Amino acid sequence: MQQIRNDNPQKRLVGKPTGEVLVDMGLLTQEQLDQAAAEQQHSHLRIGEIAMSKGWVTKGDMMQALARRLGCKYLDLAGTRIDPVALELISERDARRYAAIPVSFVDEHTVLVAMADPSNIVAVDDLRILTGFDIEPGLAGNDEIIEMLSKLRSVGGQLSEGLDTKVSTSDEEVIADEMGDIREQVEAAPVVKLVNGVLARAADEGASDIHFEPQARDLLIRFRHDGVLHEIMTIPKRLQAGVISRLKIMADLDIAERRIPQDGRIGLTVGGRPIDMRVASLPTVYGEKVVIRLLDRSNVMLRLEELGFSEAAYNRYKRSFTKPYGAILVTGPTGSGKSTTLYATLNILNTPDKNIITVEDPVEYRLAGINQVQINPKAGLTFASGLRSILRCDPDIVMVGEVRDKDTAQIAVESALTGHLVLSTLHTNDAPGALTRLTEMGVEPFLTASAVDCVIAQRLVRKLCQSCRESYTPSRDILRQLGFNKDAIENHDVTLYRPAGCPRCNNTGYKGRMGIYEIMLVTEAIERLIVERKSADEIGRVARAEGMVSLRQDGYERVLQGLTSIEEISRVIV
């Protein structure tokens, strides 16, 4: 019997280790694979993760290799046309449940489905039953599937339903649903469905804030992505009262009071993820403006390394937060990620043998095992009074949401001197400015010098989209003019990147954010300058001489690594 040989190179790669597939595809050399395998012995990372971290392969290369290994197609959803007829074969709920999107019909019996895990036979069988078609699975990234489902959700359809139906703003209609997973409330009133669609879309797209802004003729909705506001849609003026009332009821606000600002919270589950939403209403000439801050509880579990700390910066910071006492101050403008840095630090310090108490305004994230206090000025609970009470509760670590006045600053400094580790935030432009700010508040310089151990100044910058960034070679004059370090200026082969724009990043050229940091350790030399009431500039010069990297230089390091652009650093740092 004649044996049939199968020389299909695609099939020869099925089931092989990912590293070998990358080598066979010509994306990785054998030497690089051996080096990654050696590093894997002590890092315990996957071969692909090591190769990506070293810049040998891209995420797209890894997806291609994984698809070859699984014996299926790789589907780049950003550049794939989705057949609307195929898309209607399963509900959005099932699509999210199985992390799958029907893409197109292969033939009259088979449909091509993009899946995050094509090897999940149970999911493939379920999809076969749901669709009534044979399934040809293709590989797509889980994040890409969620992003595509968010874009495909017909918020416009929900809006048209609202336009075609007479909308009542009565309490009975607006409270039509119960609080649960908002995607399951498909039978609710049109205004409710519209609001739920907007909230779910914002959560899926990773927006940090939602703005409902009354205008003269309509209600404008804007999302803040990566620190920048983008206009999303407009709603007819006659739906404004219903939408605003719905939001206020969800946040447990007084819908009858429209003359004064109000604050509240909404707790929802979006796609299985718990999302806290902080709601603020503000009376304007065209009606009440509502701003919602989205707080994804999963984000608070980030590690400090994932926030953007370089290895050197992390090691400098670690020397301070591992001490049993002293004050650590994090500075920067509103929205620069100060609270996230402190929460990530508390996650490291949160052990059963530590009593950690925080006093915040507001409590943004609820942390297990940590005692969190919400200030209430109307009841007399301020930062200063709350901090005094905390010190009577035998704390090891204290976090103060913000140092706003002399009393709070004085108590925080004295707490650091009496054996407590104190973490807090302060509004200054750079790290040296925090020390002079405490003096200006009325804290004696000798107390500040003894108590403060570390000051961090930080900003958030947008990361370049890795799918569409453009490389270019800058002139040495430009690098010198901007203040790049000497090595970068003298390097003739330096390559930088700038934004381009593609469907993956909504044509902005940026996707995601990271922190840049200026970490100043308070040494003996700096202590002397504080006691002598020297200026922030003089303190900064000594700190840089002792190894502190400025915000701008840390940002330029990220530019040289290809993570962000010169324009972005110039945007956030004056």
Side-chain angles (χ1 to χ4, degrees), residues 210-222 231 233-245 247-248 258 280-292:
I210 313 171
H211 290 244
F212 294 83
E213 301 178 328
Q215 306 295 314
R217 293 183 175 85
D218 49 36
L219 178 66
L220 176 64
I221 297 179
R222 296 195 291 172
E231 187 173 326
M233 63 187 295
T234 58
I235 296 174
K237 190 71 173 178
R238 63 191 184 86
L239 296 181
Q240 176 179 310
V243 169
I244 300 300
S245 294
L247 292 170
K248 292 176 70 174
R258 301 189 178 100
S281 70
L282 181 70
T284 70
V285 292
Y286 293 122
E288 286 183 283
K289 171 186 169 78
V290 174
V291 179
I292 301 177

Side-chain angles (χ1 to χ4, degrees), residues 148-179:
M148 182 58 68
L149 284 171
S150 175
K151 290 180 179 179
L152 292 173
R153 182 191 294 110
S154 179
V155 175
Q158 296 163 350
L159 177 58
S160 64
E161 181 180 351
L163 293 173
D164 294 339
T165 307
K166 183 176 180 181
V167 178
S168 167
T169 58
S170 65
D171 294 353
E172 291 78 17
E173 182 176 0
V174 178
I175 313 177
D177 67 307
E178 296 181 358
M179 304 304 290

Side-chain angles (χ1 to χ4, degrees), residues 513-526:
R513 287 194 293 178
M514 65 179 179
I516 56 175
Y517 302 91
E518 176 179 273
I519 300 179
M520 184 181 73
L521 301 179
V522 179
T523 61
E524 290 184 9
I526 292 176

